[in-house]
Amino acid sequence: MSAPVRMRGVHPGPGPVARWVIVGVIGLLFLVPIAAMVEFTLRRGLDGGYDLSRWAAVFGGGLTGDYKPILTGLTNSLVLAVVTVIVMLVLLVPTMVLVRIRFPSLQRALEFVCLLPITIPAIVLVVGLAPVYSVVARIFGSGVWPLAFAYGVIVLPYAYRAIQANLQAVDVVTLSEAARSLGAGWLTILLRVVVPNIRRGLLAAAFISVAVVLGEYTIAALLNRVNLQTALVVVSKADPFVSIIFALLALAFAFVLLLVIGVVGGRRPAQKASS
């Protein structure tokens, strides 16, 4: 076989040493503040030294005592995360697939609408959402789960990019035409043809949405709803160490989500053995 031809004017990219240096610098940018947070939670106070007493208090029943608001906020945030992911997937995925297959001329307009929320500060969104939620509260009650509609707006840019990157790598038009020639309906094409081929993008969009919801504070605070971040702010006024512990746990949870994306998204569906 002939050697690969190198294109003129195209840089081959950084070498192995440069890659490790870049990874090391980026790793330090993340590890230094995380290490400082861990060190802060292990301090014993004015006596000096370090111990695990605060971590033991959290995992040894602290959530049912003085830190019960955190348990309430965590429960509310998990409910919001689930509802937000459902709303996002039900509304966004069929719309993106339909535009890709039937209305490709609307691709730019859809991208503009989906990316618009990232350019609007959360405080500005709340000003517009406040009168809307006064009506929503009369219809659905003052529970926390209707806040998922607002969260569906703020996760839209991240979810769109994750799904769009996977959708562009799949020839959806050809797959849908082949399925229609075999008599498949729209719902069958969406669920049995398109969704399995963009599984990695859907997982990435779902997990990124969960991470955004668990870290959101502004909308929940200004709309007087209790979630994980607002509960941490309340508890941190009495014990700042506990809020840092739960911030570290949230970072660990986000890291696990990234691992799940890589493992589950990279796994290929098993093929049946030919008879």
Side-chain angles (χ1 to χ4, degrees):
M1 296 179 63
S2 59
V5 179
R6 178 174 297 180
M7 298 178 62
R8 294 182 178 180
V10 178
H11 195 276
V17 176
R19 293 193 188 102
W20 280 110
V21 171
I22 294 172
V23 172
V25 172
I26 296 175
L28 285 176
L29 291 176
F30 283 98
L31 291 178
V32 169
I34 292 175
M37 294 169 68
V38 173
E39 188 272 339
F40 178 74
T41 61
L42 298 177
R43 292 179 186 177
R44 296 177 57 183
L46 297 177
D47 298 334
Y50 301 95
D51 59 23
L52 296 172
S53 59
R54 296 186 180 89
W55 288 83
V58 169
F59 291 102
L63 291 180
T64 59
D66 298 335
Y67 309 134
K68 190 175 181 179
I70 294 180
L71 181 60
T72 303
L74 178 60
T75 304
N76 291 342
S77 289
L78 291 177
V79 172
L80 284 170
V82 172
V83 179
T84 300
V85 169
I86 294 174
V87 171
M88 180 269 298
L89 293 178
V90 170
L91 295 180
L92 184 60
V93 175
T95 303
M96 293 181 65
V97 174
L98 184 62
V99 168
R100 183 67 181 272
I101 296 175
R102 298 292 300 275
F103 308 104
S105 60
L106 298 178
Q107 185 67 45
R108 292 291 185 182
L110 178 63
E111 181 177 6
F112 175 79
V113 172
C114 291
L115 298 182
L116 186 62
I118 202 173
T119 65
I120 304 175
I123 186 67
V124 177
L125 286 175
V126 174
V127 173
L129 290 172
V132 174
Y133 268 86
S134 63
V135 178
V136 171
R138 290 196 295 268
I139 299 175
F140 298 104
S142 57
V144 71
W145 72 266
L147 201 62
F149 298 122
Y151 285 173
V153 174
I154 65 175
V155 305
L156 196 59
Y158 312 101
Y160 175 82
R161 279 303 187 192
I163 298 173
Q164 181 66 13
N166 202 177
L167 195 61
Q168 287 180 340
V170 179
D171 192 353
V172 180
V173 177
T174 302
L175 291 175
S176 62
E177 290 178 352
R180 287 179 63 86
S181 66
L182 295 175
W186 162 247
L187 190 60
T188 302
I189 293 174
L190 178 64
L191 297 180
R192 301 188 62 180
V193 177
V194 178
V195 169
N197 284 281
I198 60 172
R199 177 186 57 175
R200 189 182 183 111
L202 297 179
L203 286 172
F207 291 147
I208 291 173
S209 299
V210 171
V212 171
V213 171
L214 292 180
E216 203 285 322
Y217 170 79
T218 306
I219 294 178
L222 295 180
L223 291 180
N224 297 320
R225 301 297 195 277
V226 178
N227 68 354
L228 177 60
Q229 298 302 319
T230 57
L232 286 177
V233 170
V234 172
V235 173
S236 67
K237 295 178 180 179
D239 191 344
F241 298 97
V242 175
S243 63
I244 299 299
I245 289 175
F246 278 93
L248 288 170
L249 293 177
L251 288 174
F253 181 68
F255 179 73
V256 171
L257 288 182
L258 291 177
L259 290 180
V260 172
I261 293 174
V263 174
V264 179
R267 187 181 302 166
R268 295 183 179 180
Q271 296 180 353
K272 297 182 180 180
S274 58
S275 56

